[in-house]
Amino acid sequence: MKRFFFFIISYIKYFFSSKDEHSIHSPFVFNLYREIIIKKKHYYAFEDLNKIRHNLLSDQTVLKINDLGAGSKVNQSKERLVSDIVKNSGKSTKISELLFRLTNHFHPSILIDLGTSVGLTTLYLSKASQQSIVYSFEGCHDTVEYAKKLFKTAQADNVLTIEGNIDNTLPAQIEKITQIDLAYFDANHTYEATKRYFEWCIKKIHNDTLFIFDDIHWSPGMEKAWKEIIEDNRTVVTIDLFEVGLVFFRREQPKQHFILKL
Ligand SMILES: C[S@@+](CC[C@H](N)C(=O)[O-])C[C@H]1O[C@@H](n2cnc3c(N)ncnc32)[C@H](O)[C@@H]1O
């Protein structure tokens, strides 16, 4: 209940402070906002992805859940139906398609996806840029096994799943890769974990890397982490879209924060 009120108050604050394109003076942010963030361009891949979402929403497979994170907002029982996971812990079509458009626009070579779950959002990332390698991290064994089957059926051959606690698997994987072009953070929604993931991933950024943080207003801890990321002198352009926050490191830009309507 407390979290629900926190969420509502955060949304009201966002609603009254968010702006549209008329407030944006940066050409980079203006174009990104108009052409990618709010332009609901249709891609053929959306038809297949929507069918997969539809099937998952009625999938009665029971998975044994070992949640190493802050947990689901709604159902924290140890066994869950795939349909329930997709409905309560998965991303909406709107956010999934936004992730697709951003990935398709930036064409990352190396993409880090924290929190595979049953794999639906990972599929949007994979299909948006089939030349990318998507390193997808998940700690729950049953869930990751389910996701692997889904990737096989959907021919998402560019996804490499990494099973285990991200606190162990992420630093180890980061040592092995040369750079991160895009990272999507949707695993353990706590202040401490978000800050740890940020610090590990920032070691392999370059000027055009994009970080996407999910659920930045989910709890006071997540808001605190997001605020510190905005204020961090290594981040340059940050964009609050309420459900997700975007972080750019483009040194040619002035440091600036935007709160934009989605
Ligand atoms: C919100 S769900 C991810 C949803 C997914 N991105 C989607 O949109 O369908 C978070 C996932 O992160 C996983 N997770 C949380 N903390 C973790 C950790 N420390 N190590 C590995 N996986 C973790 C959970 O098991 C859960 O499946």
Side-chain angles (χ1 to χ4, degrees):
M1 204 52 148
K2 226 164 126 190
R3 181 166 286 153
F4 176 73
F5 282 118
F6 172 82
F7 190 73
I8 296 293
I9 290 165
S10 291
Y11 185 74
I12 294 170
K13 281 191 205 154
Y14 163 81
F15 185 83
F16 286 107
S17 49
S18 56
K19 307 255 173 9
D20 62 16
E21 67 219 67
H22 301 296
S23 68
I24 307 173
H25 299 297
S26 150
F28 168 73
V29 178
F30 181 83
N31 286 332
L32 184 77
Y33 185 66
R34 271 212 359 186
E35 299 303 321
I36 310 296
I37 295 176
I38 56 165
K39 195 170 188 173
K40 307 277 184 300
K41 198 171 154 194
H42 184 76
Y43 293 84
Y44 289 119
F46 288 172
E47 287 159 29
D48 287 341
L49 290 164
N50 274 332
K51 272 189 213 143
I52 294 171
R53 178 186 296 275
H54 184 79
N55 291 341
L56 294 180
L57 280 169
S58 57
D59 190 329
Q60 299 297 296
T61 307
V62 178
L63 301 180
K64 211 159 126 238
I65 299 301
N66 168 28
D67 193 342
L68 301 168
S72 150
K73 282 173 242 186
V74 177
N75 186 346
Q76 303 212 5
S77 61
K78 289 284 174 205
E79 287 193 341
R80 291 179 72 187
L81 298 176
V82 168
S83 56
D84 171 66
I85 295 175
V86 175
K87 193 164 154 238
N88 294 312
S89 314
K91 291 303 121 226
S92 63
T93 306
K94 182 178 170 185
I95 295 297
S96 304
E97 291 185 355
L98 170 66
L99 294 173
F100 182 103
R101 292 195 300 276
L102 286 166
T103 307
N104 184 265
H105 177 68
F106 289 106
H107 273 300
S109 298
I110 297 185
L111 204 154
I112 296 284
D113 169 40
L114 299 183
T116 319
S117 187
V118 293
L120 183 57
T121 308
T122 312
L123 275 186
Y124 280 81
L125 302 173
S126 150
K127 296 292 175 184
S129 176
Q130 299 196 45
Q131 279 75 43
S132 311
I133 299 177
V134 183
Y135 293 103
S136 190
F137 295 73
E138 174 57 54
C140 171
H141 179 71
D142 266 24
T143 312
V144 83
E145 285 303 317
Y146 184 94
K148 278 193 211 165
K149 283 188 203 134
L150 184 70
F151 299 148
K152 204 163 178 193
T153 319
Q155 297 178 323
D157 305 325
N158 57 342
V159 180
L160 290 174
T161 45
I162 298 176
E163 185 180 335
N165 191 329
I166 291 170
D167 286 339
N168 305 320
T169 53
L170 181 61
Q173 190 58 36
I174 283 186
E175 287 298 311
K176 294 184 201 154
I177 56 179
T178 50
Q179 64 186 58
I180 296 174
D181 303 301
L182 194 155
Y184 174 52
F185 301 80
D186 188 22
N188 186 355
H189 292 320
T190 61
Y191 167 80
E192 293 79 11
T194 304
K195 292 298 298 277
R196 279 199 298 277
Y197 301 162
F198 174 74
E199 288 302 333
W200 286 324
C201 287
I202 210 166
K203 289 186 184 155
K204 291 288 165 88
I205 58 159
H206 52 80
N207 201 56
D208 297 318
T209 297
L210 165 61
F211 282 180
I212 306 175
F213 287 91
D214 202 90
D215 276 334
I216 50 178
H217 298 286
W218 189 68
S219 63
M222 286 301 288
E223 262 194 1
K224 183 169 180 254
W226 173 237
K227 194 165 175 279
E228 289 179 14
I229 289 166
I230 295 167
E231 287 165 1
D232 191 299
N233 59 19
R234 293 166 296 177
T235 67
V236 181
V237 171
T238 46
I239 305 177
D240 183 338
L241 298 169
F242 191 72
E243 284 178 71
V244 290
L246 311 184
V247 178
F248 294 92
F249 301 90
R250 295 160 54 88
R251 284 284 150 214
E252 61 273 39
Q253 310 254 152
K255 186 163 176 66
Q256 218 173 351
H257 179 56
F258 299 84
I259 304 175
L260 300 176
K261 294 196 190 307
L262 186 59

